[in-house]
Every structure is written in structure tokens, then in C-alpha cells.
Amino acid sequence: MASPLPSALPRLSLLSKPSPPQHHRLLLAPTRPQLSRFECLAGQTGFFTRLGRLIKEKAKSDVEKLFSGFSKTRDNLAVIDELLLYWNLADTDRVLDELEEALLVSDFGPKITIKIVESLREDIVAGKLKSGSEIKEALKKSVLDLLTTKGSKTELQLGYRKPAVVMIVGVNGGGKTTSLGKLAYRLKKEGAKVLMAAGDTFRAAACDQLEIWAERTRCEIVVAEKEKAKASSVISQAVKRGKEQGYDIVLCDTSGRLHTNYSLMEELIACKKAVSKVIPGAPNEILQVLDGTTGLNMLPQAREFNEIVGITGLILTKLDGSARGGCVVSVVNELGIPVKFVGVGEGVEDLQPFDAEAFVNAIFS
């Protein structure tokens, strides 16, 4: 259970004068002793590599959360076990037709489904698969190969210079700001010094929502003080602050937008350019948040965002409430963009680093 929110945190202005209206403010969490195996390595080369590995190791220990998070998809695919239990060669066509239907219902998509089923059919006819258990293992291997071939870089790629900058993008309602907060929690827990940038200046409640997450995760945050502030200005100021004050990671929220709204999409380009002016080569990651309940409908928006700003990784949310977990495989196969995290619950620790093997075992138990 998440701990209760701490009391309101002291705010310090980024400007020198406290009394006039301010353009930005910095919300500082009270200092608290924190022990971490990474704390002493923050300034050394390899900190981000070690941080990424530790997060992945933690994911392997949280397999139960992933398993329970995909229960609805697993229920959809449970029919496969029944089909293969008494399988015999004479029933091959009927069994494969029903297996195909089960994959389609779980949103694996027609291309992948046909590819998997035809591969199984060829191996059965060739005598390579002689039992239901062998067919199931071949099915799992096919899905795992699809995930690892095109989406192998599932660890955060944070480079070697501080601060690493991560931009979070996506449409409204997908869980963008919440995902940023949960990611901050995970990074902070492993010893990283994290600064949040409230770059969603379009939605009035977004700043308040991120400030709550700053309090909850005990991270610091840069926000716009005036209305209609440019998102690129807020993010630029936060990255400068991160560079000057030795932060490890700056997490930048952005305004939610429909992929068909080109004027808002252009704002993302401005944000990306603003970051690179402060730190050449940044942002290190541009993560797109996609609502897992939309299934294959997420593909068009993912393509559009990728064309505009170049997506480096995906965060798939709300998969615990969806029976369409096959869309994970579809997105990776169609776009060649790795899934970095999956949301499998509402808790602060329920944003799980994506592990392909654990995912396959979770949906094909």
C-alpha cells in the first residue's frame, strides 16, 4: 500500500525576488537520509548502466505482479491449453483455427497471428512438433522471438553524462503524468537524484497532479507560474537547473495531444530542440505512453508520434484492466520500438520494467 502523502513541501523560487509573480518555482522535498547501493556511484561513469541493470533485476523479482497484471489476457488464452491437451494430428486444422481465433481476440493482430499459426502448421506437418506440449512451447518461443528481435533494448538508455533527460509524451488520458510519477518513484528508490519538469502547460490540472507526485516521491519539480507558459521554456529551465545542480535525471512531462493535431505536435519538436540546446544529444529517451485498453488502435498514434519526434521506447499502461495484452507484441513487431515499461496496476510500484520472457510466461501460463 502506498504511503500517505507528506505535508506540503517548502517552495523555493527559481528567480531571485520572492514577492512579484514568478515564472517558475522549484518544489523541494525535505532532505532525508537515504541508503542505496548506487548513491556513491552517482558521479561515476557507468552509474546509468548500473541503474538500468538494477531496475531490470528488480523486475525479475516482481514477476508475480506482472503475472497478476495480465490475468485477463491469460484467461483469454487459456483455451489454448484445452485445445492442446488432447491434440492429435487429425485435429490439426481445427485446433490451429481455434488457436488463431484466441490470438486475434487478445489483439495479437492478423499479421502476427497468421505468421505464428503458419509456422506452427509447417513444423507439425514436418514432424518437428509431435505433442500438445511441444506446440505450446513452440508458440511461446515464436512470441518471445518476435519481442526480442525487434524490441531488444528494453533497458533505459540514459547515456553517460548527467543529467540524463527523459521526455514523456502521449495523448490525453493514457496515463502519461501518472507514469512519469511512478517512474520517478522507481528511479529515486534506486538512489538517483530526480528533477521533474511540469511541461504539460496546456491542461490546468496537470501541474497540480505532478506536484502531488513530487510530494509522494519526494522529488523536486519545476513548474510554470504564469498561465499559457511555453512548455519548451519550462522544460529548458528544468534541464538547466538539473545541469547546474548535479541532478542525475530530469523527467519532462509534456502536454497530451491527439496525434492528428499538428500544431500541438510541433510543440513537441520545440521541446526536444530546447532540451538539446542545453545538453547536446539530449533527450536521452523519448518515451510514449500508450493506453493498453485501446489494443491495436494505439498503432496509428504511435506511428505518428514516432515520425514527429522519434520515439525511443514505449510505456503501455492499464494492461491489468485489459484482455488485449497481445497488443504488446503487435506494437513491437509493427514499429520496431521496444517496450520499456508496462502498467499492471494502480499502485506506485505497479509500473514494471518490461521483461519479454516474464511477459510470455505471464500470458501463456
Side-chain angles (χ1 to χ4, degrees):
M1 181 179 293
S3 59
L5 299 184
S7 57
L9 303 177
R11 299 179 178 178
L12 297 183
S13 171
L14 292 181
L15 303 180
S16 56
K17 295 180 181 180
S19 53
Q22 303 159 0
H23 293 291
H24 301 85
R25 63 186 183 275
L26 181 65
L27 183 65
L28 292 175
T31 58
R32 172 186 286 184
Q34 181 180 6
L35 297 177
S36 167
R37 73 182 87 176
F38 276 105
E39 204 144 324
C40 60
L41 300 172
Q44 301 177 17
T45 302
F47 168 67
F48 291 132
T49 302
R50 293 184 183 95
L51 180 63
R53 286 175 182 167
L54 183 59
I55 289 174
K56 290 293 285 185
E57 288 170 12
K58 182 69 167 60
K60 290 183 182 296
S61 69
D62 285 345
V63 169
E64 285 186 12
K65 286 189 177 182
L66 195 70
F67 189 83
S68 62
F70 283 100
S71 61
K72 292 188 177 181
T73 299
R74 187 167 58 253
D75 290 345
N76 257 1
L77 296 172
V79 66
I80 293 175
D81 288 329
E82 298 173 18
L83 289 170
L84 297 178
L85 184 61
Y86 301 108
W87 173 84
N88 61 68
L89 191 60
D91 282 341
T92 297
D93 287 340
R94 178 186 64 80
V95 168
L96 290 181
D97 284 347
E98 293 190 34
L99 187 150
E100 179 179 309
E101 184 179 346
L103 294 176
L104 288 171
V105 168
S106 297
D107 259 18
F108 275 79
K111 288 182 182 178
I112 291 176
T113 297
I114 292 171
K115 184 176 181 179
I116 291 173
V117 170
E118 290 309 310
S119 175
L120 291 175
R121 191 188 306 275
E122 288 174 11
D123 287 346
I124 291 170
V125 171
K128 296 178 182 178
L129 304 175
K130 299 178 181 179
S131 68
S133 60
E134 288 181 357
I135 293 172
K136 183 174 180 180
E137 287 306 309
L139 169 62
K140 291 170 69 174
K141 185 179 182 301
S142 293
V143 175
L144 184 60
D145 288 346
L146 285 167
L147 289 169
T148 54
T149 301
K150 290 194 174 183
S152 57
K153 292 184 178 180
T154 57
E155 292 182 11
L156 285 175
Q157 307 295 308
L158 299 177
Y160 303 98
R161 294 178 301 175
K162 293 197 302 180
V165 181
V166 179
M167 283 177 59
I168 310 292
V169 304
V171 302
N172 282 324
K176 181 169 50 61
T177 302
T178 299
S179 295
L180 188 152
K182 291 180 179 180
L183 179 57
Y185 172 84
R186 188 171 283 277
L187 294 168
K188 183 78 181 288
K189 190 176 179 182
E190 303 304 343
K193 186 180 179 183
V194 179
L195 178 63
M196 296 181 181
D200 187 349
T201 57
F202 191 74
R203 185 167 62 96
C207 177
D208 294 337
Q209 184 183 358
L210 199 62
E211 285 196 53
I212 290 172
W213 274 107
E215 293 179 3
R216 191 175 184 183
T217 59
R218 310 194 74 80
C219 288
E220 291 135 26
I221 181 172
V222 175
V223 304
E225 192 67 39
K226 63 182 181 180
E227 291 184 7
K228 298 184 180 178
K230 287 187 176 180
S232 56
S233 173
V234 177
I235 289 174
S236 175
Q237 191 67 34
V239 175
K240 287 176 184 175
R241 171 71 61 173
K243 187 176 181 181
E244 292 166 359
Q245 296 192 356
Y247 285 87
D248 296 316
I249 302 170
V250 181
L251 297 179
C252 304
D253 196 12
T254 59
S255 300
R257 64 210 67 227
L258 291 172
H259 57 287
T260 52
N261 190 324
Y262 294 107
S263 60
L264 284 175
M265 291 294 279
E266 285 174 0
E267 187 185 82
L268 281 183
I269 300 174
C271 291
K272 185 178 178 180
K273 288 180 178 177
V275 170
S276 64
K277 284 181 181 178
V278 181
I279 302 177
N284 304 80
E285 291 269 19
I286 301 178
L287 305 180
Q288 183 176 3
V289 176
L290 295 169
D291 183 346
T293 62
T294 63
L296 292 176
N297 293 327
M298 68 175 67
L299 283 173
Q301 59 179 269
R303 286 195 190 96
E304 194 67 40
F305 273 86
N306 189 40
E307 287 177 12
I308 297 294
V309 290
I311 302 301
T312 61
L314 301 170
I315 298 175
L316 302 186
T317 62
K318 308 179 186 179
L319 288 168
D320 56 308
S322 171
R324 307 169 82 176
C327 66
V328 174
V329 187
S330 298
V331 168
V332 172
N333 184 70
E334 290 279 333
L335 303 177
I337 300 172
V339 175
K340 305 268 181 171
F341 294 91
V342 289
V344 292
E346 296 182 0
V348 70
E349 293 190 349
D350 289 337
L351 184 71
Q352 291 291 304
F354 182 70
D355 181 276
E357 187 174 355
F359 166 76
V360 171
N361 289 330
I363 63 173
F364 297 109
S365 63

